[in-house]
Amino acid sequence: MIVLTSKQMREVEKIAIEKIGIPSIGLMENAGRETALEVKKILEEGNLNSVIVISGKGNNGGDGYVVARNLYNWGIDVKVFLTTSLGAISGDAKVNLDAIINMGIYVAEIIQREHLKFLEKTIKDSDVIVDAIYGIGLKGEISGITKEIIEMINQANKIVVSVDVPSGLNADTGKVEGCAVRATKTVTMQFLKPGLLVYPGADYAGEVRVAEIGIPYRLAAEVGYNYNLVTSEDVKLPKRHGNTHKGDYGKALIIAGSKNMTGAAYLCAKSAIKAGCGLVKLVVPQSVQSVIQGGLYEVITYGLAEKNGILSYDALSSVLKLIEESDAIAIGPGLTHDRDIPQLVYDIVKNTDKPVVLDADALNALVGRLEVIQGKKIILTPHYGEMSRLTGLTIDEIKNNLFEVAKTFIDRYKVTLVLKGAKTVIATKEGSIYINSTGNPGMATAGSGDVLTGMIAAFLAQGFSEEKAAIYGVFYHGKAGDIAKEYVEEYGMTAMDILEDIPEALKCGL
Ligand SMILES: NC(=O)C1=CN([C@@H]2O[C@H](COP(=O)(O)OP(=O)(O)OC[C@H]3O[C@@H](n4cnc5c(N)ncnc54)[C@H](O)[C@@H]3O)[C@@H](O)[C@H]2O)[C@H](O)CC1
Ligand SMILES: [K+]
């Protein structure tokens, strides 16, 4: 699903209004009406009847006046409060403000502290608050009386419907600019915005509904959109035809595990099989091979050179030979960071141009030596801690600048990045950003990443591009976790639950 930044939104609006000639006030009419219909549904569902609209001085506020007019026409008790003086309103917003005043709808300014008491009382007596203070035009932090109004809205414990973007939220990053409205529901105009889809923005937006307001969808391509929300529409699976054999579904080589972490290797290899890979070979330290082979009937295991239960550099030549007969490679889960691993991982990556997914200890192995991945068919799957080690940024710097951090990394290394988090972000070497729509907190469990790595390797082995393998892997991994949640809830969820539900998850792509 297309996602536009506020800059792209403005460009699309400009083309629609100035080039195509769609009247801007018509867009505002549709935006306001779509929002009003949403509010009406909420009132009917809750047998409620009183609404206050709080409008800012821009077109977001203009939408708010249209909302008020529609609600008033439907016999709903509605009052409008301005966070600015009447005289400051202009353009389409002013046309709609004048209309509601002419209709006799209650309008009052809340621009001095003594007005706040009255607003507080009115909020208390109302059922729903419509937040039309700021939309995509927010610049910098909110302060002063408007900040107090937003805090009052949040403390009122009322149903809040935000127009386009919760006021105070940065539409592009999801950051809270000083303060932000916590919405029950956000009705966003024509296209999703990135800030509604990642934290904390996703928390503040509540349930998001995209209102179609009359802007041609094709204009998104004209402005070169590059953000996407991954939905089931984007991850259809090719039908498998009759006369095929396992070789048609790819051969994956997994290099993983050590004497204290055999489970990581198991989960990764088993997930690759479950995600449809035709043949999976697993390289582990020689002394753990029998332990692992036990539970992995469908996987061919290779016990290679080791030192004290950890793969040693002497395993390199055998690994490179196995790579030659594989379509895709996964390296990392449970390797540990000891002794020879960093050099072994570095030289494997250096000596192959096959698609590779690097996870966990393979990422740690490349800290400070990332030049070896430059321009290769490589997918990295760090969580914020691993990304912090790879980039030298703090976890907070990463969390608060997800898109920028991902784009900077991709621009520099021209690989595919899966930045795992509460909302996993995928950045591709073509410069696209994908935000995943599946998954739940129950998946933050040991081994969950190993399962994802196996799934991505499976899609790579089946011939998917790095971009598609990353998107499919992340989406179906989250989908499997959502299915698991239905019966184990989030507290009891284990990586095995996710793994077991991979086949069920894949069904939604067929
Ligand atoms: N997307 C569409 O096709 C349509 C969107 N519409 C709505 O219009 C807003 C965008 O309107 P705009 O006037 O550009 O900005 P805002 O209404 O968001 O308000 C910004 C307003 O407030 C001032 N301001 C900005 N930041 C601050 C701050 N930190 N402190 C104080 N004041 C601030 C700024 O000067 C602006 O005047 C969009 O979200 C939709 O809701 C229309 O419906 C048309 C179609
Ligand atoms: K708003």
Side-chain angles (χ1 to χ4, degrees):
M1 193 182 276
I2 296 172
V3 181
L4 290 192
T5 62
S6 37
K7 180 169 172 290
Q8 291 165 343
M9 202 62 232
R10 292 222 181 280
E11 288 164 8
V12 154
E13 267 182 57
K14 194 169 159 55
I15 298 170
I17 295 164
E18 294 174 16
K19 253 174 81 182
I20 300 177
I22 298 171
S24 61
I25 200 152
L27 297 176
M28 183 174 281
E29 190 64 26
N30 294 340
R33 184 163 179 83
E34 286 297 315
T35 307
L37 287 166
E38 213 50 56
V39 173
K40 185 168 170 236
K41 220 162 62 183
I42 291 169
L43 294 171
E44 284 165 352
E45 281 160 7
N47 194 19
L48 306 167
N49 186 47
S50 125
V51 178
I52 70 168
V53 174
I54 304 181
S55 277
K57 74 175 190 177
N59 283 334
N60 194 246
D63 294 353
Y65 308 135
V66 178
V67 174
R69 173 161 38 88
N70 280 278
L71 296 178
Y72 184 82
N73 285 339
W74 297 328
I76 290 159
D77 162 34
V78 59
K79 292 183 182 65
V80 175
F81 293 94
L82 308 188
T83 64
T84 180
S85 59
L86 282 158
I89 313 291
S90 61
D92 294 341
K94 175 128 179 37
V95 170
N96 280 296
L97 175 61
D98 292 347
I100 62 171
I101 291 171
N102 297 337
M103 286 170 69
I105 293 173
Y106 180 92
V107 176
E109 293 173 342
I110 303 289
I111 49 177
Q112 284 154 28
R113 292 189 55 72
E114 52 270 26
H115 297 157
L116 288 173
K117 264 272 155 280
F118 175 62
L119 174 65
E120 194 171 22
K121 185 182 168 324
T122 316
I123 286 178
K124 233 191 223 73
D125 299 340
S126 70
D127 297 318
V128 173
I129 302 168
V130 172
D131 153 36
I133 305 170
Y134 300 119
I136 58 171
L138 178 71
K139 296 249 176 317
E141 293 226 337
I142 295 177
S143 55
I145 293 227
T146 308
K147 182 171 173 143
E148 293 188 54
I149 291 172
I150 289 175
E151 282 157 359
M152 192 186 285
I153 293 171
N154 290 341
Q155 280 142 27
N157 198 17
K158 295 285 176 183
I159 297 170
V160 178
V161 177
S162 280
V163 177
D164 204 22
V165 181
S167 300
L169 207 57
N170 181 314
D172 298 337
T173 63
K175 258 191 253 182
V176 172
E177 302 289 2
C179 64
V181 168
R182 278 191 181 282
T184 316
K185 172 168 266 196
T186 296
V187 180
T188 198
M189 307 312 162
Q190 198 68 45
F191 296 100
L192 289 167
K193 283 79 182 178
L196 301 174
L197 304 170
V198 290
Y199 292 110
D203 259 345
Y204 280 81
E207 186 195 337
V208 177
R209 192 198 134 217
V210 181
E212 202 282 309
I213 64 169
I215 293 178
Y217 280 106
R218 64 175 171 77
L219 297 186
E222 273 193 46
V223 301
Y225 75 94
N226 56 333
Y227 283 83
N228 306 269
L229 175 71
V230 183
T231 65
S232 52
E233 286 314 302
D234 307 300
V235 288
K236 291 294 171 212
L237 288 164
K239 286 254 180 300
R240 289 193 163 187
H241 44 81
N243 59 338
T244 53
H245 58 86
K246 61 177 180 297
D248 296 326
Y249 299 116
K251 299 187 280 294
L253 179 68
I254 315 273
I255 302 156
S258 55
K259 71 174 184 313
N260 298 328
M261 289 192 274
T262 55
Y266 173 91
L267 288 168
C268 185
K270 190 85 173 182
S271 300
I273 285 281
K274 289 264 185 188
C277 183
L279 180 69
V280 174
K281 294 182 177 176
L282 170 63
V283 164
V284 292
Q286 197 280 326
S287 62
V288 301
Q289 182 186 10
S290 53
V291 168
I292 291 226
Q293 183 67 65
L296 276 173
Y297 315 117
E298 314 91 337
V299 171
I300 304 169
T301 59
Y302 294 80
L304 297 187
E306 63 161 82
K307 280 179 195 156
N308 189 21
I310 294 167
L311 278 177
S312 74
Y313 189 78
D314 297 344
L316 179 63
S317 54
S318 313
V319 165
L320 293 180
K321 251 197 228 82
L322 286 166
I323 285 178
E324 270 161 40
E325 52 197 58
S326 306
D327 301 308
I329 297 95
I331 315 174
L335 283 182
T336 81
H337 192 57
D338 294 7
R339 303 179 216 282
D340 298 359
I341 294 294
Q343 198 54 46
L344 175 63
V345 170
Y346 184 90
D347 285 347
I348 292 171
V349 171
K350 190 156 156 260
N351 287 289
T352 181
D353 289 323
K354 295 259 174 102
V356 179
V357 44
L358 294 175
D359 183 31
D361 291 315
L363 296 171
N364 297 326
L366 297 179
V367 170
R369 308 196 292 173
L370 278 170
E371 72 288 340
V372 72
I373 68 172
Q374 187 80 36
K376 290 202 166 206
K377 294 181 187 165
I378 288 183
I379 301 175
L380 295 93
T381 63
H383 52 55
Y384 296 159
E386 288 153 346
M387 191 66 175
S388 172
R389 284 192 287 279
L390 286 171
T391 58
L393 297 168
T394 65
I395 288 182
D396 272 350
E397 283 168 336
I398 293 166
K399 241 182 201 165
N400 294 331
N401 302 286
L402 279 184
F403 301 127
E404 281 326 304
V405 166
K407 279 193 275 192
T408 307
F409 189 87
I410 294 309
D411 289 348
R412 181 165 173 194
Y413 296 108
K414 299 279 179 274
V415 289
T416 303
L417 178 69
V418 173
L419 190 46
K420 296 184 295 194
K423 293 280 181 187
T424 292
V425 168
I426 296 160
T428 72
K429 52 178 78 166
E430 295 77 21
S432 296
I433 297 275
Y434 292 89
I435 302 153
N436 188 34
S437 63
T438 58
N440 59 74
M443 298 177 68
T445 177
S448 176
D450 305 330
V451 173
L452 173 63
T453 299
M455 294 177 75
I456 294 176
F459 288 117
L460 281 176
Q462 294 172 69
F464 286 60
S465 65
E466 297 101 273
E467 172 171 312
K468 288 251 178 254
I471 292 165
Y472 277 66
V474 167
F475 180 88
Y476 284 113
H477 179 249
K479 186 76 189 165
D482 289 340
I483 293 167
K485 180 182 168 185
E486 282 160 22
Y487 59 84
V488 288
E489 250 320 312
E490 293 179 2
Y491 288 94
M493 196 181 297
T494 66
M496 276 304 285
D497 295 317
I498 301 169
L499 185 151
E500 294 303 336
D501 285 322
I502 292 173
E504 191 59 28
L506 293 176
K507 275 187 200 162
C508 86
L510 292 173

